């Protein structure tokens, strides 16, 4: 356990199950002689916890490992704060699907213990940076681990926009918007929009049109290092929104440009040795098992 001494703990707010799991983790880490450091937001709803605290943004600087307790949404939020520090992140599932948070509460001591003892695999997941400009001036920026989505916001009208990849014009499209997803996000919103499942190790982005007016508009998979640019047409009557991971939102206007490219820093995501991407797909997506099983 020499590599992991200070263990950051982040949890989803508003869940008693998450609090119970965090208390269990704190007891377990104390027994191992390690130092738990609680995210200050979750610490505020755990009176008398008696632990050190830190903001989620600084946790990557003071911790050797960060454990996120919640669903994939909780880990997405943590990833945007922690990717730049290169601190390894481990997920305990207290949500629904759990593609990213893959340790169940029932096996928490066994699996977390294995990771603490160096028995784990490492996924390096890339994120995407998004910059919105108006009249050439930046008006908003954000980061996503799963995806960046251009959508109508509260309006039910279609959006018209132009797509450029590496400076080359691709098409003008009228649709409900566009999902730009990483391999991590290919099993999230992009999947429900008809996009392909991409293995997490792929260096690629998938662009999934949302209810396009032209039926021949299909998902496109491009190199992960591509720079994408969306130009919202001037004749739009609506003011669309750009959302990252469904958690960060930027309000746009006709004429705005949206630039999307790979973030230079990656998330260092740990898994127990028993983790298997295809097994996760079978369990979470209801794929059939072998005949006779």
């Amino acid at each position: 356990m020499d590599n992991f001494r200070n263990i950051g703990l982040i949890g989803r707010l508003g869940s008693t199950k998450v609090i119970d799991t965090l208390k269990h983790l704190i007891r377990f880490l104390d027994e191992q002689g390690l130092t738990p450091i609680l995210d200050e937001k979750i610490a505020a709803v755990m009176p008398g916890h008696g632990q050190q605290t830190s903001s989620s943004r600084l946790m990557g600087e003071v911790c050797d490992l960060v454990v996120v307790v919640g669903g994939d949404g909780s880990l997405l939020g943590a990833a945007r704060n922690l990717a730049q520090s290169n601190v390894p992140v481990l997920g305990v599932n207290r949500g629904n699907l759990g593609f990213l948070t893959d340790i169940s509460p029932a096996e928490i001591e066994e699996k977390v213990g294995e990771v603490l003892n160096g028995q784990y695999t490492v996924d390096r997941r890339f994120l995407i940076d998004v910059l919105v400009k108006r009249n050439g001036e930046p008006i908003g920026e954000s980061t996503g681990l799963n995806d960046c989505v251009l959508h109508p916001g509260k309006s039910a009208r279609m959006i018209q926009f132009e797509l450029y990849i590496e400076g080359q014009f691709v098409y003008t499209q009228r649709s409900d918007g566009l999902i730009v997803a990483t391999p991590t996000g290919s099993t999230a919103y992009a999947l429900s929009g008809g996009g392909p499942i991409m293995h997490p190790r792929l260096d690629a982005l998938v662009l999934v049109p949302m209810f396009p007016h032209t039926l021949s508009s299909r998902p496109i998979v491009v190199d992960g290092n591509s720079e994408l640019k969306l130009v919202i047409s001037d004749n739009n009557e609506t003011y669309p929104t750009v959302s990252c991971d469904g958690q960060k939102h930027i309000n746009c206007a006709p004429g705005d440009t949206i630039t999307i490219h790979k973030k230079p820093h990656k998330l260092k995501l740990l898994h127990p040795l028993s983790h298997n991407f295809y097994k996760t797909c079978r369990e979470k997506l209801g794929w059939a098992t072998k005949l006779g099983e």
Side-chain angles (χ1 to χ4, degrees):
M1 297 187 187
D2 290 340
N3 292 329
F4 301 132
R5 305 301 302 177
N6 298 321
I7 314 298
L9 300 177
I10 295 175
R12 187 181 74 236
L13 296 172
S15 170
T16 56
K17 291 181 179 180
V18 167
I19 298 297
D20 291 342
T21 299
L22 285 170
K23 290 178 178 177
H24 186 175
L25 262 174
I26 290 171
R27 288 194 298 271
F28 175 69
L29 295 173
D30 282 340
E31 290 170 359
Q32 308 304 314
L34 304 178
T35 303
I37 301 177
L38 278 175
D39 173 50
E40 58 188 11
K41 291 181 180 178
I42 200 73
V45 296
M46 295 176 63
H49 57 78
Q51 306 299 321
Q52 297 181 40
T53 65
S54 169
S55 69
S56 57
R57 289 191 176 277
L58 290 178
M59 202 166 264
E61 308 300 325
V62 298
C63 296
D64 307 307
L65 171 70
V66 174
V67 181
V68 179
V69 180
D72 285 352
S74 302
L75 198 141
L76 291 172
R80 292 192 298 271
N81 289 328
L82 298 173
Q84 190 161 337
S85 66
N86 199 39
V87 65
V89 178
L90 182 67
V92 175
N93 187 25
R94 272 299 193 178
N96 295 315
L97 281 177
F99 272 97
L100 297 172
T101 50
D102 50 15
I103 296 177
S104 71
E107 57 184 8
I108 194 167
E109 291 192 14
E110 175 190 355
K111 297 301 181 183
V112 173
E114 289 176 5
V115 171
L116 292 173
N117 282 307
Q119 301 173 52
Y120 57 82
T121 60
V122 181
D123 264 349
R124 290 194 175 272
R125 306 289 184 95
F126 74 83
L127 296 85
I128 49 178
D129 282 333
V130 180
L131 175 65
V132 180
K133 289 185 177 181
R134 183 170 300 159
N135 299 320
E137 296 296 326
I139 64 162
E141 57 185 329
S142 190
T143 298
L145 174 61
N146 264 356
D147 49 41
C148 161
V149 182
L150 173 67
H151 59 93
K154 296 179 180 179
S155 171
R157 292 176 178 267
M158 281 189 166
I159 308 166
Q160 181 169 304
F161 59 90
E162 296 175 354
L163 168 65
Y164 296 82
I165 300 176
E166 288 293 289
Q168 297 183 349
F169 174 71
V170 180
Y171 54 56
T172 297
Q173 184 178 106
R174 279 177 54 80
S175 66
D176 280 4
L178 185 72
I179 304 168
V180 178
T182 66
T184 300
S186 70
T187 52
Y189 194 22
L191 182 62
S192 66
I197 294 174
M198 297 195 294
H199 193 280
R201 286 200 294 267
L202 283 176
D203 188 0
L205 292 167
V206 62
L207 287 66
V208 182
M210 299 166 61
F211 299 102
H213 193 261
T214 304
L215 297 180
S216 59
S217 294
R218 309 300 301 164
I220 303 174
V221 179
V222 301
D223 186 276
N225 294 306
S226 301
E227 181 178 88
L228 313 179
K229 184 171 75 171
L230 305 176
V231 181
I232 302 172
S233 299
D234 287 321
N235 59 2
N236 276 293
E237 297 179 4
T238 59
Y239 285 69
T241 299
V242 169
S243 299
C244 289
D245 293 341
Q247 297 176 345
K248 297 292 184 179
H249 311 285
I250 305 170
N251 295 321
C252 302
D256 287 356
T257 62
I258 303 151
T259 304
I260 304 163
H261 58 83
K262 182 190 291 184
K263 190 178 186 67
H265 308 95
K266 293 185 178 181
L267 173 69
K268 189 176 181 181
L269 183 64
L270 304 190
H271 302 285
L273 292 179
S274 58
H275 173 74
N276 181 301
F277 174 72
Y278 302 110
K279 179 175 183 288
T280 301
C281 288
R282 285 197 304 274
E283 294 175 346
K284 307 303 180 181
L285 301 177
W287 290 357
T289 58
K290 291 181 181 178
L291 293 177
E293 289 187 357

